[in-house]
């Protein structure tokens, strides 16, 4: 929200700025790597690929290398922001140049991808979303902001609010899964956690909601690919999560790389101006994705970089992340009148506003080396990372083997059980090698003896196999889409080999996306979906396996039976005229089921819950629904109670189910509780063929249960009051 005092200071400053200085504010520069070693970045990457250098060595080399932050450009007022300047000392040095050595002394704003922790890496967002816990999401965001701000960072390119219904897309790892409500709540909690209600705090970060919009719907699950959908679907399924995160107060928004029905988001006026600013009243800063403005030439929407700059700025883009198109061309575009001066002033004002809001003009040096050192990876941070990991792991199968009894002789199989650095997952740019603990590390720490299974040796004598399978950290995330979601042949062979021994097998799955776990179901007695759990991976896994923690997480994206089910796997698909059935001419596959292997909302506990006595009534505000949930097992547990609805007859075909609300109930053995939900009537609304938002009278079905497949039903004859 605009503050009169800040607006006045912006106007004062604007009136003093030259055209060149204004353009300089629009430019975000990245640092180039120079000097310190004799190899080019490409050569280093090749050496890692062909095994001449380990990733750890490369990481060390690159992070110790000097970066050129283009000081002369900064001095000349040609840089308004940096991408990825990590370290308070270096940041203060650059800030000093901006504040002391430029004509107007405008401070820099420094942005970085703090996605799931800064130094203390927490579970990847897809994992953390499975906790269905807004308080946890906010607390981990707060922790990452404390660490990142101490390292000289002012803004994080997070939260990602992209609804992700296709697990082939590698960036599903960065999302809260396939549901709009969950992505919105996740984004909202992250914004609150990063920003607090006072951005001038030294431990606050500005949040940047991305990737606006519908990046998660990239065709074929292929990164950067086209997105084409009906306006109704866009409004109902994809926009709400960004809206919620923006309205939580996020001060920046990043348009997506992709085109949306033919218009790249970077030059999409409808998105950047009509929806974001006019409809939602956003008055923060927009910043392109990396090089995305220049890439509008590749899209074939701009003739050249100059034309791309013109279109992006006129559409409502404020800052150019690293492409240099604004820096090179905006002066001339304004001089020729192709970009109105008012639009340039607006963009500069948005950027200055955020700098004022962060307090950077009055207080440009927000951290120093001592604060930085003290903030990182503290015992309290490790404890929170462990809690987050415990709450994010989903127990997918358990034939009674878990929790493991103390004293069982363990054999450890699968390379991921030993590889600590794979545990960080994607987007862990400030992670330090060795910070994470593997399963092996945790067993060692707890002095639990184990034998390691070697490929070329007979199987060790043991009581139970712990078998790690799945993906490493680079197999999901940006530019890491997959055509096949099947387990590797090596993983399947390992599972079979262990199963043939006759000893029980626990499969621990690491991944940044849902995978086809059929072979694990066939060969393992228990399956724990651990995702990429972060620095406390191993300890948290043992907490769950040994029953010190009762698992409570539930899937926020369904798991496929076969890769070919994508992209039609998601739970809130609309109804067809021929729903899948035994009859041949129904909507199904010849060679795979239609249903996911594990449905949305699914996750087991070491106790069981019984649902009964569902009721639902209309109220003035919407629908009030209740259900009784009882813990019928012999240990305490948390149950994520999910409330869905279905509109059986409407003017447009509606989803088979839609998540409306949820609550996590902590129940002691035998305890039962009435859980109530108030669903606002707007939740039942949708867009008709002419794009009118309508709420129909008529039957609404309420379905409540422990996952989308197992629910009880109550009906409400809904009438507009
Ligand atoms: C590209 C990614 O798409 C975006 O999410 C990220 O914030 C920027 N690069 C900056 O690293």
């Amino acid at each position: 929200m605009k503050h009169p005092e800040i607006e006045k200071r912006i106007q004062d400053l604007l009136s003093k700025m030259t055209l060149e200085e204004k353009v300089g504010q629009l430019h975000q520069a990245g640092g180039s790597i120079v000097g310190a070693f004799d190899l080019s970045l490409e050569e280093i990457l090749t050496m890692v690929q062909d095994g001449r250098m380990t990733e750890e060595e490369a990481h060390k080399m690159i992070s110790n290398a000097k970066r050129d932050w283009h000081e002369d450009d900064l001095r000349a007022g040609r840089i308004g922001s940096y991408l990825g300047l990590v370290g308070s000392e270096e940041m203060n040095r650059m800030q000093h140049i901006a504040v002391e050595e430029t004509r107007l002394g405008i401070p820099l704003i420094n942005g970085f991808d703090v996605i799931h922790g800064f130094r203390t890496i927490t579970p990847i967002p897809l994992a953390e979303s499975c906790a269905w816990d807004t308080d946890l999401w906010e607390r981990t965001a707060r922790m990452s902001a404390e660490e990142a701000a101490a390292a000289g960072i002012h803004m994080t390119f997070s939260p990602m609010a992209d609804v992700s219904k296709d697990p082939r897309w590698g960036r599903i790892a960065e999302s809260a899964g396939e549901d709009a409500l969950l992505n919105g709540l996740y984004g909202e909690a992250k914004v609150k956690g990063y920003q607090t209600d006072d951005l001038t705090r030294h431990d606050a970060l500005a949040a940047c909601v991305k990737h606006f919009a519908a990046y998660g719907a990239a065709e074929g699950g292929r990164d950067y690919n086209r997105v084409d959908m009906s306006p109704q679907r866009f409004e109902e399924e994809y926009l709400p999560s960004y809206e919620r995160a923006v309205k939580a107060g996020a001060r920046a928004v990043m348009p997506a790389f992709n085109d949306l029905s033919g218009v790249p988001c970077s030059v999409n006026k409808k998105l950047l101006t009509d929806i974001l600013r006019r409809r939602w009243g956003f008055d923060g800063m927009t910043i392109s994705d990396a090089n995305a403005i220049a890439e509008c030439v590749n899209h074939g929407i701009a003739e050249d970089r100059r034309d791309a700059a013109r279109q992006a700025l006129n559409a409502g883009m404020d800052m150019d992340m690293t492409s240099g198109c604004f820096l090179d061309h905006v002066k001339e575009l304004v001089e020729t009148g192709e970009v109105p001066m008012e639009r340039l002033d607006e963009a500069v004002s948005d950027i200055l506003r955020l700098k004022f809001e962060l307090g950077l003009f009055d207080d440009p040096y927000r951290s120093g080396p001592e604060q930085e050192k003290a903030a990182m990876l503290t015992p309290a941070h490790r404890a929170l990372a462990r809690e987050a990991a415990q709450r994010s792991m989903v127990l997918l199968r358990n034939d009674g083997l878990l929790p493991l009894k103390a004293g069982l002789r363990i054999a450890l199989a699968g390379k991921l059980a030993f590889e600590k650095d794979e545990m960080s997952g994607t987007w862990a740019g400030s992670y330090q090698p060795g910070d994470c603990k593997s399963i092996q590390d945790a067993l060692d720490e707890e002095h639990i003896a184990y034998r390691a299974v070697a490929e070329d040796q007979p199987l060790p004598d043991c009581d139970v196999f712990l078998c790690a399978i799945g993906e490493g950290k680079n197999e999901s995330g940006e530019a890491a889409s997959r055509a096949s979601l099947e387990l590797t042949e090596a993983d399947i062979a390992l599972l079979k080999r262990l199963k043939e021994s006759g000893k029980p097998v626990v499969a621990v799955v690491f991944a940044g996306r849902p995978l086809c776990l059929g072979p694990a179901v066939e060969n393992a007695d228990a399956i724990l979906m651990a995702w990429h759990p972060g620095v406390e991976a191993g300890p948290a896994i043992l907490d769950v396996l040994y029953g010190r923690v009762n698992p409570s997480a539930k899937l926020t994206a369904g798991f496929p039976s076969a890769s070919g089910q994508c992209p039609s796997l998601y739970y809130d698909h609309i109804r067809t005229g021929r729903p899948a059935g035994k009859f041949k001419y129904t909507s199904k596959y010849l060679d795979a089921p239609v249903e996911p292997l594990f449905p949305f909302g699914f996750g087991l506990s070491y106790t069981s819950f019984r649902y009964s006595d569902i009721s639902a009534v209309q109220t003035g505000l919407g629908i009030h629904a209740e259900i009784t949930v009882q813990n019928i097992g012999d240990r305490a547990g948390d149950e994520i109670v999910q409330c869905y609805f279905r509109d059986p007859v409407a003017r447009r075909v509606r989803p088979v189910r839609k998540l409306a609300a949820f609550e996590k109930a902590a129940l002691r053995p035998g305890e039962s509780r009435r859980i109530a939900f108030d669903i606002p009537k707007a939740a039942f609304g949708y867009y008709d063929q002419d794009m009118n938002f309508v709420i129909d009278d008529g039957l609404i079905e309420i379905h409540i249960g422990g996952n989308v497949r197992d629910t009880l039903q109550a009906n409400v004859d809904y009438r507009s009051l």
Side-chain angles (χ1 to χ4, degrees):
M1 228 183 45
K2 290 187 183 169
H3 191 284
E5 180 61 26
I6 289 182
E7 294 310 305
K8 195 174 157 296
R9 290 180 76 178
I10 293 173
Q11 286 313 316
D12 285 352
L13 195 49
L14 262 184
S15 67
K16 294 183 194 136
M17 292 172 83
T18 62
L19 182 52
E20 286 83 352
E21 282 165 337
K22 289 180 183 176
V23 174
Q25 284 302 306
L26 311 189
H27 180 56
Q28 182 178 65
S32 22
I33 297 176
V34 283
F37 44 83
D38 298 333
L39 301 166
S40 73
L41 197 57
E42 277 84 40
E43 273 174 283
I44 295 179
L45 293 178
T46 316
M47 287 173 79
V48 172
Q49 267 158 15
D50 65 22
R52 276 179 291 160
M53 192 188 278
T54 66
E55 246 188 80
E56 200 169 320
E57 285 163 349
H59 189 280
K60 225 183 227 160
M61 210 169 205
I62 294 168
S63 45
N64 292 336
K66 247 182 120 44
R67 261 159 224 257
D68 175 5
W69 292 104
H70 313 287
E71 290 178 32
D72 290 339
D73 281 342
L74 176 57
R75 253 178 220 108
R78 289 162 57 82
I79 294 178
S81 172
Y82 279 125
L83 165 64
L85 202 171
V86 173
S88 58
E89 210 172 345
E90 188 79 330
M91 182 58 211
N92 288 345
R93 200 167 70 77
M94 294 303 138
Q95 193 68 297
H96 195 269
I97 298 177
V99 172
E100 303 295 331
E101 299 181 38
T102 65
R103 195 179 74 91
L104 293 170
I106 301 175
L108 287 161
I109 179 169
N110 183 25
F112 188 62
D113 292 280
V114 184
I115 307 297
H116 53 111
F118 180 73
R119 174 76 189 268
T120 306
I121 301 296
T122 51
I124 54 166
L126 182 59
E128 203 190 25
S129 71
C130 294
W132 302 55
D133 188 332
T134 54
D135 175 64
L136 176 73
W137 300 336
E138 191 173 330
R139 283 191 291 135
T140 52
R142 186 85 292 282
M143 170 171 80
S144 21
E146 283 165 15
E147 293 190 352
I153 290 151
H154 308 128
M155 168 169 60
T156 171
F157 301 117
S158 170
M160 182 177 108
D162 305 333
V163 166
S164 308
K165 293 172 188 269
D166 189 338
R168 292 173 300 178
W169 190 52
R171 303 197 79 170
I172 193 173
E174 299 171 56
S175 80
E178 64 187 42
D179 178 67
L181 176 68
L182 280 172
N183 274 281
L185 291 171
Y186 184 84
E188 179 177 61
K190 291 293 171 194
V191 169
K192 288 188 190 160
Y194 293 135
Q195 295 194 162
T196 73
D197 51 14
D198 178 7
L199 273 179
T200 64
R201 277 170 59 156
H202 282 187
D203 62 0
L205 290 183
C208 177
V209 174
K210 68 188 189 186
H211 304 87
F212 190 56
Y215 185 32
E219 193 175 273
R222 187 151 57 83
D223 213 356
Y224 318 117
N225 205 10
R226 78 181 294 193
V227 173
D228 198 355
M229 65 172 69
S230 70
Q232 287 89 347
R233 185 175 197 196
F234 181 61
E235 291 280 348
E236 291 163 7
E237 297 176 34
Y238 286 87
L239 261 190
S241 48
Y242 304 103
E243 181 175 6
R244 192 160 205 145
V246 166
K247 291 196 172 158
R251 299 311 286 143
V253 168
M254 181 191 291
F257 278 125
N258 55 277
D259 76 275
L260 183 61
S261 305
V263 182
C265 297
S266 302
V267 294
N268 197 317
K269 190 157 191 280
K270 196 173 156 196
L271 281 179
L272 301 187
T273 300
D274 299 352
I275 295 179
L276 184 61
R277 298 200 186 269
R278 301 218 172 106
R279 204 163 111 191
W280 296 348
F282 175 73
D283 57 18
M285 178 184 101
T286 51
I287 174 167
S288 79
D289 205 333
N291 203 44
I293 297 177
E295 287 164 20
C296 288
V297 178
N298 297 346
H299 276 291
I301 199 99
E303 274 173 32
D304 49 25
R305 288 164 52 88
R306 182 182 185 280
D307 191 28
R310 178 186 64 81
Q311 292 190 41
L313 192 52
N314 281 339
M317 187 80 85
D318 296 333
M319 188 177 272
D320 172 0
M321 184 187 278
T322 66
S323 87
C325 293
F326 280 4
L327 191 63
D328 295 345
H329 301 291
V330 168
K331 179 168 181 275
E332 190 190 312
L333 288 166
V334 172
E335 283 167 349
T336 57
E338 287 162 276
V339 170
M341 181 61 103
E342 300 76 59
R343 174 61 203 124
L344 173 63
D345 283 349
E346 207 174 68
V348 177
S349 302
D350 291 340
I351 293 163
L352 295 178
R353 185 173 302 117
L354 184 50
K355 293 182 176 183
F356 276 114
E357 287 171 347
L358 283 159
L360 291 170
F361 282 88
D362 306 315
D363 183 16
Y365 311 105
R366 292 168 40 121
S367 181
E370 269 169 42
Q371 278 151 280
E372 181 173 347
K373 203 162 165 242
M376 303 300 161
L377 207 62
T378 62
H381 287 186
R382 272 211 181 265
L384 178 54
R386 184 161 174 171
E387 180 192 339
Q390 292 162 349
R391 288 166 179 252
S392 303
M393 292 178 193
V394 188
L395 184 62
L396 293 176
R397 177 179 160 80
N398 184 16
D399 73 350
L401 175 62
L402 299 180
L404 295 176
K405 290 183 191 55
L408 288 180
R409 291 169 310 141
I410 305 286
L412 201 54
K415 62 182 174 29
L416 290 169
F418 302 87
E419 293 184 354
K420 57 180 100 224
D421 292 330
E422 295 298 325
M423 300 293 106
S424 67
T426 184
W427 283 115
S430 40
Y431 169 74
Q432 296 298 314
D435 281 352
C436 284
K437 296 176 185 170
S438 64
I439 302 182
Q440 179 188 32
D441 296 329
L443 289 170
D444 287 342
E445 237 174 51
E446 295 196 27
H447 307 291
I448 299 174
Y450 61 89
R451 293 171 181 203
V453 172
E455 224 174 298
D456 47 0
Q457 304 281 322
L459 288 178
D461 186 23
C462 69
D463 299 319
V464 60
F465 287 107
L466 299 189
C467 176
I469 55 172
E471 297 181 330
K473 64 178 180 199
N474 293 326
E475 290 173 79
S476 63
E478 188 181 347
S481 292
R482 291 180 62 173
S484 165
L485 302 171
E486 313 296 327
L487 291 174
T488 61
E489 280 177 19
D491 276 348
I492 297 173
L494 176 62
L495 285 166
K496 284 188 174 152
R497 182 173 171 229
L498 301 183
K499 162 96 176 172
E500 275 162 18
S501 74
K503 296 279 164 60
V505 178
V506 181
V508 179
V509 187
F510 297 103
R513 56 156 62 79
L515 293 173
C516 299
L517 293 182
V521 172
E522 282 156 29
N523 295 293
D525 304 270
I527 304 175
L528 180 66
M529 187 65 210
W531 309 103
H532 289 131
V535 289
E536 287 291 308
I541 289 168
L542 294 196
D543 289 338
V544 173
L545 295 184
Y546 282 100
R548 298 184 293 244
V549 165
N550 189 356
S552 58
K554 305 248 191 185
L555 299 178
T556 57
F559 272 45
S561 307
S563 307
Q565 291 182 313
C566 301
S568 308
L569 184 68
Y570 53 90
Y571 84 94
D572 57 345
H573 60 85
I574 62 169
R575 295 159 65 181
T576 97
R578 293 190 173 191
K582 288 204 178 99
F583 182 51
K584 176 175 167 68
Y585 296 98
T586 58
S587 180
K588 60 185 179 186
Y589 300 107
L590 289 177
D591 52 354
V594 170
E595 290 293 319
L597 183 62
F598 296 110
F600 179 85
F602 179 80
L604 300 172
S605 161
Y606 294 147
T607 186
S608 314
F609 301 95
R610 185 196 294 138
Y611 286 75
S612 62
D613 302 317
I614 184 171
S615 67
V617 291
Q618 179 169 0
T619 66
L621 299 173
I623 287 181
H624 178 85
E626 292 188 8
I627 197 156
T628 300
V629 184
Q630 186 181 14
N631 181 345
I632 53 169
D634 55 8
R635 54 178 296 168
D638 291 354
E639 171 72 339
I640 298 165
V641 184
Q642 301 152 41
C643 176
Y644 301 86
F645 77 91
R646 172 172 128 123
D647 181 352
V649 183
R651 284 174 255 181
R652 265 185 57 248
V653 186
R654 304 286 292 130
V656 292
R657 289 270 195 290
K658 195 145 188 62
L659 183 70
F662 59 89
E663 191 172 319
K664 200 183 242 187
L667 296 171
R668 293 185 305 275
E671 187 182 353
S672 88
R673 187 167 321 146
R674 198 87 183 132
I675 307 286
F677 299 102
D678 280 298
I679 312 166
K681 58 181 167 212
F684 308 113
Y686 61 93
Y687 289 84
D688 71 9
Q689 212 175 3
D690 301 317
M691 288 303 288
N692 302 306
F693 187 73
V694 293
I695 302 173
D696 292 333
D697 281 356
L699 188 65
I700 295 283
E701 297 172 8
I702 301 292
H703 299 262
I704 306 179
N707 70 68
V708 71
R709 228 183 249 169
D710 302 314
T711 53
L712 299 182
Q713 179 179 344
N715 293 341
V716 176
D717 187 13
Y718 193 86
R719 300 283 146 199
S720 31
L721 297 173

